Amino acid sequence: MLVTDGIVTAGDEADALMARVKKLKDVGVLRMDAIATGGIRDDAALARLVRGTLPQDGAVIDARRGAAEVVRRLQQKTESGLLVDVAGASWVWPKRLDGMQPGDEVLVVAELPKGVATPKITVGGRAVDVGAVSAAPAPLLRRAWARAKIDRLIDAREREKDVKAKGELADQIVAVSTAHRVLSPFTALLVLETEAD
């Protein structure tokens, strides 16, 4: 069990941390769960650490739900390999769900052609009823789209072996991050008190 906000402030970073977690199976660890704490945290980084690294995928559990809920979720199995499909979409993120437990909520972002009123979504081969589709403010949609695009590029970069291609993906992540003001592992936000600062 890992209790953290998931934000690396010192020491090993993503690739090195993943390698260390993978070595835990050599001493018999089958699953690691992350209990996410703090107001600012990186749940995506925690998910990458606890899923796909050990024989069983772990869960990322929100500590704010209270001790009873955390204990309940630690005792539950997780389900992985659930493919997400949105009919007609040019891209979907996430494409696959891992470490899922009953009651988990997931935001799926898909780019659809104009005119699609109600998307047809399947998760793990089962149709999902999305209910009534309602409009949301454009700025929120753009941020959700940018976050999904960044997460998709981060995933591609982590799977990439070629150093040059990794650098190009990092550049793309920075471009989307700065254009839409959505943080990524390669960007930071500097807030100045006055224009003179």
Side-chain angles (χ1 to χ4, degrees), residues 2 4 9 20 23 25 56 70 79 84 152 159 163:
L2 179 65
T4 179
T9 52
R20 290 180 75 180
K23 287 182 183 178
K25 67 181 163 191
Q56 297 172 19
V70 169
E79 192 171 347
V84 178
R152 200 169 137 239
R159 296 176 193 284
V163 175

Side-chain angles (χ1 to χ4, degrees), residues 93 96 98 154-162 166:
W93 187 259
R96 173 185 158 130
D98 294 313
I154 289 169
D155 181 67
R157 185 180 183 277
E158 287 177 353
R159 296 176 193 284
E160 182 60 59
K161 303 294 182 209
D162 181 67
K166 273 186 172 250

Side-chain angles (χ1 to χ4, degrees), residues 5 14 38 40 60 68 84 92 103 110 114 138-139 141 155 160 166 174 178-179 188:
D5 59 10
I40 299 173
V60 177
V84 178
V92 176
K114 284 186 180 183
L141 291 175
D155 181 67
E160 182 60 59
K166 273 186 172 250
V174 169
T178 55

Side-chain angles (χ1 to χ4, degrees), residues 3 57 89 115 117 144 152 169 186:
V3 180
D57 286 338
R152 200 169 137 239
L169 286 165
F186 303 102

